Amino acid sequence: MRILFCSDALTIDGVASYILHTGAALKRSGHEVGVLGRWSLKGGFQERYRHEGFTVITCPSISVGNMYFDVRAKLFKPDVIMTDPRRSFPLATRIKRITNAPVITYFLDPVEKTDRPGRDIGSLVKYSDVFTAFEPDTLSQLHGLGTNIPVVKMPRPLDIFFAPSEVPSRENFNILCFGRLSRYKTPGIFHILENLRAIQNHIPDFVINILGGGGWRFLKLKYYAHKLNKSLGRQCVNIIGTQLDPRKFIESANLVTASATSAMEAAYSMRPVIAMCSGYFGQVRSGNLEGALRSYFSERYGEKDFSRLIPDILRIYDGYYDDDFRDDLRKVSLRLGGEFSERETVKVFEGIIRMIKG
């Protein structure tokens, strides 16, 4: 089976990460995988795509599609096209017209922003053969459209690049803030930095690593970290920026603050996770995992109040060596690993292909 993922710009974001993880699972199961999308002159996952054996078709382009992509898509001869419903969808419909390959449209976000030509509801229905998602609310939205398009729950695989491992010693307590540095995702990070003295008083040897890119906010955090490190007399806040492979940062972390897939990856890796985005969800535990999944680990909603954040960090530090604490990390990891696995992703995909073929 030849699978062609359409991407808008191959930049490092949620869509590019989904393509990397899902594409790698399908490639390792014996399928041929290609990624087609314009290069926006920014760093992306091209190197990692090629390392996984993907065919990468890209070039600088003002428009989302062009004649070069048309020719290369014909030569690739996809049996199926996979696309998100937003920026890359017009490219997928263009390639569908050329190759007649069916389109699987995967929804990584709720059904919204459908007012633009080429990716409106009518176009999504006209050119998609299957809708997939893994969030319960998004699946409900897709079913609620009342179309004849099959809606399938298809998880993304967490175990394709990540694996559970025991937490490291809490010496030099490493707090990893992981995710894109957007306005939507940074309120909690700024709250931590604004309350650094409270952390310092309780955890004298703490380190904060802030991982992710985000334009001027990256520079703002760089400047802020410099001032904080100078005032505390040591290098304790590190602004790392975008990384092609975040695994080593998660493995060395004692605590991860993140949302969405970043939080899922850290929790599956058996790290304590505080889920936060523009709102605050709190520590992810086995007892609230359903709520964490439904909120996509605070990506969708959370309390607009970060007053519990610093107390939660200190509580996790204090209970770090408790047996119940460690056991709960294992329970969360096991649950996520069972539902969001490479095996399950491949099984669902192959079921979709059987359904398309009729």
Side-chain angles (χ1 to χ4, degrees):
M1 176 69 63
R2 299 176 69 81
I3 305 157
L4 183 63
F5 285 89
C6 288
S7 178
D8 175 46
L10 300 185
T11 51
I12 298 175
D13 59 12
V15 172
S17 174
Y18 179 86
I19 292 171
L20 175 64
H21 289 72
T22 302
L26 298 175
K27 176 67 179 178
R28 294 179 191 185
S29 69
H31 299 290
E32 289 297 317
V33 176
V35 182
L36 184 150
R38 58 182 170 171
W39 179 41
S40 63
L41 307 181
K42 295 181 180 179
F45 275 137
Q46 293 92 318
E47 178 184 330
R48 292 195 69 185
Y49 290 151
R50 293 188 179 101
H51 183 265
E52 292 300 320
F54 297 7
T55 298
V56 178
I57 304 168
T58 188
C59 69
S61 179
I62 296 174
S63 59
V64 68
N66 56 52
M67 290 184 65
Y68 173 72
F69 288 162
D70 297 347
V71 172
R72 291 296 305 273
K74 283 183 183 178
L75 292 172
F76 186 78
K77 297 179 181 178
D79 296 299
V80 66
I81 298 164
M82 295 189 68
T83 180
D84 74 281
R86 294 187 178 176
R87 292 171 300 185
S88 66
F89 193 79
L91 174 60
T93 61
R94 176 173 175 145
I95 301 305
K96 179 174 184 173
R97 293 190 196 103
I98 293 167
T99 64
N100 293 316
V103 170
I104 298 172
T105 304
Y106 52 86
F107 287 76
L108 305 182
D109 292 296
V111 184
E112 58 187 14
K113 299 181 180 178
T114 57
D115 55 338
R116 298 190 182 183
R119 43 182 164 141
D120 55 282
I121 293 294
S123 297
L124 293 174
V125 172
K126 181 178 179 180
Y127 293 106
S128 298
D129 294 88
V130 177
F131 291 150
T132 74
F134 55 82
E135 293 182 63
D137 290 350
T138 304
L139 289 164
S140 295
Q141 280 186 307
L142 292 170
H143 283 294
L145 294 177
T147 72
N148 293 323
I149 306 296
V151 177
V152 179
K153 181 179 179 181
M154 180 173 169
R156 63 175 293 153
L158 295 176
D159 57 354
I160 196 77
F161 296 118
F162 293 88
S165 62
E166 293 297 325
V167 290
S169 165
R170 75 174 188 181
E171 184 181 357
N172 298 317
F173 194 74
N174 180 337
I175 303 169
L176 175 64
C177 301
F178 180 23
R180 181 165 50 90
L181 302 178
S182 65
R183 177 180 62 85
Y184 189 66
K185 295 194 175 186
T186 51
I189 295 175
F190 280 105
H191 184 84
I192 290 173
L193 298 182
E194 289 161 4
N195 292 274
L196 216 56
R197 288 285 181 184
I199 298 176
Q200 173 74 30
N201 291 338
H202 199 91
I203 313 174
D205 61 348
F206 80 92
V207 174
I208 295 175
N209 290 321
I210 300 176
L211 184 66
W216 67 267
R217 285 186 184 81
F218 175 80
L219 298 176
K220 181 178 180 179
L221 282 166
K222 271 274 198 188
Y223 176 69
Y224 196 9
H226 173 74
K227 291 204 306 181
L228 291 169
N229 290 331
K230 188 175 181 180
S231 70
L232 292 175
R234 66 187 185 92
Q235 186 71 29
C236 55
V237 182
N238 304 299
I239 313 301
I240 297 167
T242 301
Q243 295 290 311
L244 288 178
D245 190 345
R247 282 176 290 187
K248 66 180 181 181
F249 295 96
I250 291 178
E251 288 169 0
S252 63
N254 299 105
L255 167 65
V256 178
T257 70
S259 66
T261 304
S262 301
M264 292 176 72
E265 291 167 347
Y268 174 66
S269 300
M270 233 167 67
R271 294 298 175 268
V273 171
I274 289 177
M276 64 184 196
C277 198
S278 63
Y280 188 70
F281 180 87
Q283 184 186 354
V284 176
R285 303 183 180 92
S286 60
N288 67 8
L289 187 54
E290 290 297 334
L293 287 165
R294 186 161 290 280
S295 73
Y296 197 19
F297 293 83
S298 196
E299 177 84 359
R300 306 296 175 225
Y301 53 81
E303 298 176 9
K304 305 295 182 181
D305 178 4
F306 289 87
S307 61
R308 291 187 291 118
L309 175 52
I310 302 303
D312 277 353
I313 290 174
L314 304 185
R315 180 178 49 75
I316 289 170
Y317 175 82
D318 289 340
Y320 195 74
Y321 291 117
D322 291 350
D323 290 339
D324 289 345
F325 174 80
R326 300 292 182 95
D327 185 55
D328 199 63
L329 296 180
R330 294 186 186 93
K331 288 178 180 177
V332 171
S333 178
L334 281 170
R335 164 71 193 281
L336 291 175
E339 186 171 344
F340 298 91
S341 68
E342 176 183 356
R343 187 176 77 170
E344 186 66 16
T345 298
V346 172
K347 183 179 79 172
V348 172
F349 173 82
E350 292 179 345
I352 290 171
I353 296 305
R354 288 192 297 271
M355 179 174 59
I356 290 173
K357 290 181 175 180

